[in-house]
Amino acid sequence: MKANVKSSPLQKSVQQHFAIIPKDAAGKIVPGDLTGLSMSWGSPASTQTQQCFATEMKDSAVVSALDKGESLQLSYRVQTQRSPLSSHKPNLDSSHFSCKITAQTNYNQSNTVRPNSKMRDAEELTEDRKLQAVIEQVMVDQLSRAVISDPEQNAVSVSPTSVPLRYRRTLHHTKVKTRMSLTENILSNKLCFQARILSRCGREACRKLIGFFFTCDQTLTVYEYRNFGKNRWNALPFITRGVYLNGGRPYCLQDIYQGAELRFCTDGPHLPQSLRQQPCLTLRVTDVDDTAKRALVTQSGETLHRLSKEELSDQNTLKEIQGAVRDRLKGHAVRTLINLGRDLQTLHLKSDWIQQKELLRRSLMEQLCLTQQDFEAVWRIVSRRAEGRVHPADVMRAVTGEMSENRKAVFLKVYVKLDPNKTGSIFLSDTEKFYRGKQESDAALKADLNPDFLAFVREAGKVTKTVSYAEFEDYYEGLSIEIPDDEEYISNLRATWSI
């Protein structure tokens, strides 16, 4: 009498699903004879599939034939061979070992490079989504006003003048389309650009501004992209749509390019209270779609605006002064700009413009060796551009120059990382937390003239334990003068702050 042997689940599945597998006289699986097999839907299996299938079936048959004790002994034997504490050392070929090391090294290097590229791709995707969201919001805002509520409708009326204005017009005297009524087709002819506020206040300088210039009526509007909490955002109007003047003439397409300055009055309804107290609001254009701009210029037939002799003379004068000043600052630019920034802080306490001008002149002549003639020339040019509303920071910026917009974009990313809430100051603990060692090049930072970054922030935040945006900007503006190459400067920032 034969003993009843219980089949394992694996054996049952093999018997049920693979009964067509050929076996020899002893009942063993013949791995080589699989040519006659077909897949369940009738297509013949490939040679590679057959080989893998045969190998898997051979392994499963071996496992099902072993009892519990043999399985435990086999697993113990395998673990003993794989254990690093075992005295048994497998005989590995040296070439195989070197290949494994090379592969591991390449994997580590690829993993080091991959996160940065992925992070930048994610940032670009986020910026594109922000831009699309703002464009949609602008179109909704501009098209939301119905034709019936257009103020131009009140211009045509047959009602008596004694009747109040809001009761003069009737539905029968309402135009179907006014002269200023807009459609999506008309508003599609627009130039999109990005801008930032020229300010030494971190809260204002970090605002994300996106502007639109409409060629249909030469109007311009600026929106601000703002985050409210972690997952909530909104595009809010910052400068209302309208025609704005530049030196007595309306802004045109030729006035909008990377590095251009757009000036506005500070009496706008959407501006914050801190900006309304300033004499003038200046926006710096940071990015423009040049392809769309060329297409719009060709479509509109706008003629190229040429600078006057006076404007060309002002540009050449500023370039000469800035070039001479930046040459003199080589080797001690960081320390000098930090001292100038501290002098500007004291100037804000003076309410008298004449006194501010005199103190600024003394500071620039002492720190930068600027002549009286050059100072008066810069003051005259800045005053003419700002229509008499001169700010001391604008004069200092015109004398020393600024870093390029590509550098400024990376710098602002660094600052926002340290000050995510945009309060206008950075805690010393955050700078020490995110700072990745002394990454400044030896040629740029000499110990006796330019301070080390950590030494600078500890000195600046000695009392308040914080560093203001203006001080942080002065340090990296000076470093920008010391490092002429854009690529070196940007890679320096990215390595220092891991962005």
Side-chain angles (χ1 to χ4, degrees), residues 127-360:
E127 293 299 324
D128 291 341
R129 288 177 178 175
K130 288 180 181 180
L131 182 59
Q132 291 300 322
V134 175
I135 290 175
E136 292 176 3
Q137 187 64 44
V138 169
M139 298 297 285
V140 169
D141 291 348
Q142 299 302 323
L143 296 173
S144 60
R145 189 177 69 177
V147 178
I148 196 171
S149 61
D150 195 324
E152 188 181 345
Q153 296 282 7
N154 294 325
V156 180
S157 176
V158 294
S159 300
T161 55
S162 59
V163 180
L165 184 62
R166 57 179 176 170
Y167 297 117
R168 288 181 187 177
R169 178 167 55 93
T170 62
L171 185 61
H172 300 284
H173 299 98
T174 300
K175 293 181 179 180
V176 176
K177 181 181 179 181
T178 60
R179 183 176 59 87
M180 297 298 293
S181 61
L182 299 173
T183 63
E184 187 174 356
N185 218 11
I186 295 175
L187 291 178
S188 62
N189 298 322
K190 61 183 180 300
L191 177 64
C192 179
F193 61 92
Q194 299 187 34
R196 62 181 178 88
I197 301 175
L198 292 183
S199 175
R200 289 178 62 83
C201 174
R203 183 183 294 274
E204 311 303 340
C206 294
R207 290 182 184 271
K208 181 72 175 177
L209 302 181
I210 301 176
F212 300 89
F213 182 83
F214 300 95
T215 58
C216 58
D217 52 3
Q218 304 294 304
T219 55
L220 185 148
T221 183
V222 179
Y223 273 65
E224 179 186 5
Y225 185 91
R226 294 184 63 183
N227 287 333
F228 298 92
K230 195 172 183 180
N231 299 318
R232 187 174 165 232
W233 61 270
N234 203 355
L236 302 176
F238 193 75
I239 295 177
T240 56
R241 180 167 169 262
V243 178
Y244 295 93
L245 302 179
N246 176 27
R249 61 175 182 81
Y251 279 110
C252 60
L253 283 172
Q254 304 293 340
D255 296 324
I256 302 174
Y257 55 90
Q258 187 179 34
E261 294 184 1
L262 308 178
R263 293 178 176 83
F264 304 92
C265 296
T266 55
D267 55 355
H270 303 295
L271 295 180
Q273 190 64 31
S274 58
L275 291 177
R276 293 186 184 183
Q277 298 174 356
Q278 302 296 329
C280 176
L281 173 64
T282 305
L283 303 184
R284 172 70 56 80
V285 178
T286 59
D287 191 20
V288 180
D289 188 356
D290 292 328
T291 305
K293 180 180 177 180
R294 286 193 295 267
L296 289 173
V297 169
T298 304
Q299 180 182 354
S300 62
E302 182 178 315
T303 58
L304 181 63
H305 172 68
R306 299 185 181 277
L307 298 177
S308 62
K309 293 182 178 180
E310 188 178 24
E311 291 174 335
L312 287 174
S313 176
D314 291 346
Q315 281 189 359
N316 295 331
T317 301
L318 287 181
K319 284 182 180 179
E320 291 178 2
I321 294 175
Q322 288 177 6
V325 168
R326 293 171 81 89
D327 288 340
R328 289 196 295 266
L329 286 176
K330 290 288 186 180
H332 56 91
V334 176
R335 176 66 69 185
T336 304
L337 289 189
I338 290 173
N339 293 334
L340 278 175
R342 290 170 181 170
D343 291 343
L344 278 180
Q345 294 295 329
T346 60
L347 286 178
H348 289 301
L349 303 177
K350 308 293 182 182
S351 58
D352 189 3
W353 283 95
I354 299 177
Q355 193 175 5
Q356 280 189 358
K357 179 180 177 180
E358 181 62 24
L359 292 175
L360 180 63

